[in-house]
């Protein structure tokens, strides 16, 4: 790709730029700084949960739904998965991730799933993203079923059991766990504070951009040590909501073969250079 066409990609959601000249000139950390600057001047929520999310990059809310509603929800999930419609499978290293889209969920038959699709976390995410996420935006709502693989040979340095960032700007993902989760069945792993930009992170963004990798940046132990950060395995009970800024370092724990866990999942990623404060479509 030419430098000229890459120039037009600077202010987009593209994870990386292909132009060696632009990358050597520092375009990638520049994009990260501009995106963060625009985020920082957006109106900020004073909600304590959102403040914690901004500070650490993650919040964990136990007993998110009332117990009756949660039990109804899990019954609906069993039925929806049993029907096995709208499902896709991703092989991520040794692990299998089966996703059941809720895009066409029937609200008469699955009222709890329809409610999850149409609402409950948009206010929280609006505060986190500092833009209004409209009621009609469902965050790509789906059921995620992770099964830990048995074939170690499928493990791959690019799979999501390795610490990585999703992209260079603030972007949020949400899980409502339907099963108890621990390190054995593919827990979410997050490094609190890693979403913040400092010299070390920007330097590694720069180094990576001058190399060959054009996928999500993988994080080495050296970067963690240099920043004095430590990873946290998010072990939790069913009916726990986790919201994370996946601009921060994160992964999935390397689990015990044969175990599995399910969650309702949504993700929110918008063009960080857009000045609009209102509802937007997912941007890539
Ligand atoms: Fe990720």
């Amino acid at each position: 790709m030419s430098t000229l066409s890459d120039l037009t990609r600077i202010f987009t959601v593209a994870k990386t730029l292909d132009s060696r000249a632009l990358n050597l000139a520092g375009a990638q950390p520049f994009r990260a700084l501009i995106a963060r600057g625009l985020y920082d001047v957006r109106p900020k929520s004073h909600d304590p949960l959102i403040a914690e999310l901004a500070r650490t990059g993650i919040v964990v809310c136990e007993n998110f739904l009332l117990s009756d509603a949660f039990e109804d929800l899990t019954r609906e999930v069993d039925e929806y998965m049993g029907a096995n419609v709208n499902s896709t499978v991703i092989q991520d290293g040794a692990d299998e991730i089966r996703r059941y889209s809720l895009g066409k969920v029937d609200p008469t038959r699955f009222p709890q799933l329809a409610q999850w699709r149409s609402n409950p976390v948009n206010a929280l995410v609006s505060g986190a993203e500092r833009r209004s996420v409209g009621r009609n935006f469902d965050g790509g709502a789906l059921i995620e079923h992770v099964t830990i693989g048995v074939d170690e040979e499928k493990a791959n340095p690019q799979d999501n059991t390795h610490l990585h960032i999703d992209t260079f700007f603030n972007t949020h993902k949400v899980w409502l766990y339907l099963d108890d989760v621990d390190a054995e069945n593919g827990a979410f792993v997050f490094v609190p504070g890693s979403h913040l930009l400092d010299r070390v992170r920007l330097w590694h963004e720069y180094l990576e951009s001058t190399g060959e990798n054009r996928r999500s940046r993988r994080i080495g132990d050296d970067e963690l040590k240099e920043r004095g950060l430590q990873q946290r395995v998010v072990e939790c009970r069913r009916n726990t909501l986790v919201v994370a800024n996946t601009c921060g370092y994160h992964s999935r724990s390397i689990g015990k073969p044969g175990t599995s866990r399910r969650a309702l999942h949504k993700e929110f990623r918008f063009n960080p250079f857009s000045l609009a404060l209102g509802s937007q479509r997912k941007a890539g």
Side-chain angles (χ1 to χ4, degrees):
M1 196 169 283
S2 72
T3 299
L4 187 62
S5 63
D6 246 10
L7 266 175
T8 64
R9 289 185 357 136
I10 286 181
F11 298 112
T12 69
V13 293
K15 289 185 183 184
T16 58
L17 303 174
D18 290 331
S19 161
R20 181 151 178 79
L22 285 176
N23 285 327
L24 285 172
Q28 190 66 6
F30 171 75
R31 299 172 81 205
L33 282 169
I34 297 295
R36 189 58 56 95
L38 290 172
Y39 178 86
D40 287 344
V41 298
R42 289 176 180 279
K44 186 196 305 193
S45 164
H46 295 288
D47 181 291
L49 208 56
I50 294 167
E52 184 186 341
L53 184 55
R55 187 173 56 80
T56 64
I58 186 167
V59 287
V60 177
C61 311
E62 294 178 337
N63 301 312
F64 180 67
L65 294 179
L66 294 173
S67 58
D68 284 353
F70 183 73
E71 294 310 325
D72 288 346
L73 174 69
T74 54
R75 270 193 293 277
E76 289 183 19
V77 166
D78 289 341
E79 189 180 341
Y80 198 84
M81 290 173 66
N84 199 23
V85 289
N86 302 320
S87 80
T88 53
V89 178
I90 299 168
Q91 193 69 39
D92 186 41
D95 302 339
E96 179 190 280
I97 302 171
R98 188 174 286 271
R99 291 177 165 168
Y100 300 80
S101 170
L102 297 175
K104 292 180 181 168
V105 66
D106 175 0
T108 313
R109 190 170 164 200
F110 301 103
Q112 295 291 339
L113 284 173
Q115 170 141 7
W116 163 262
R117 178 182 172 241
S118 67
N119 183 5
V121 293
N122 284 18
L124 179 57
V125 173
S126 294
E129 288 279 337
R130 298 191 183 173
R131 67 177 85 229
S132 173
V133 177
R135 288 186 65 86
N136 293 329
F137 186 77
D138 73 358
L142 53 82
I143 302 166
E144 177 188 78
H145 185 202
V146 175
T147 303
I148 305 300
V150 293
D151 183 358
E152 289 177 12
E153 288 182 4
K154 284 186 184 158
N156 164 342
Q158 286 293 343
D159 75 32
N160 288 323
T161 60
H162 293 77
L163 277 182
H164 65 279
I165 58 170
D166 283 349
T167 192
F168 64 92
F169 56 85
N170 290 326
T171 175
H172 292 85
K173 288 185 174 174
V174 180
W175 293 264
L176 175 61
Y177 288 105
L178 303 165
D179 300 303
D180 294 345
V181 180
D182 59 29
E184 289 199 344
N185 63 347
F188 184 61
V189 178
F190 191 79
V191 180
S194 60
H195 63 302
L196 302 173
L197 298 183
D198 62 11
R199 281 186 189 189
V200 175
R201 174 160 172 161
L202 289 168
W203 174 242
H204 283 274
E205 297 279 358
Y206 175 75
L207 288 179
E208 180 87 358
S209 72
T210 60
E212 297 301 315
N213 183 31
R214 293 291 173 263
R215 300 187 58 200
S216 300
R217 187 167 74 85
R218 265 46 197 170
I219 309 299
D221 290 343
D222 55 336
E223 186 170 338
L224 274 192
K225 259 191 211 146
E226 283 174 70
R227 298 188 71 187
L229 298 173
Q230 289 192 326
Q231 66 179 33
R232 169 189 173 189
V233 178
V234 185
E235 296 187 319
C236 58
R237 303 292 306 273
R238 62 207 287 265
N239 197 15
T240 296
L241 183 85
V242 173
V243 184
N245 180 348
T246 54
C247 170
Y249 309 162
H250 63 283
S251 67
R252 184 177 61 256
S253 66
I254 297 173
K256 186 174 166 188
T259 61
S260 70
R261 55 98 172 145
R262 300 164 305 161
L264 299 188
H265 179 62
K266 290 188 174 196
E267 55 185 81
F268 299 85
R269 187 174 303 172
F270 304 108
N271 186 337
F273 305 110
S274 165
L275 300 179
L277 291 171
S279 172
Q280 310 214 349
R281 272 190 235 150
K282 186 183 177 212

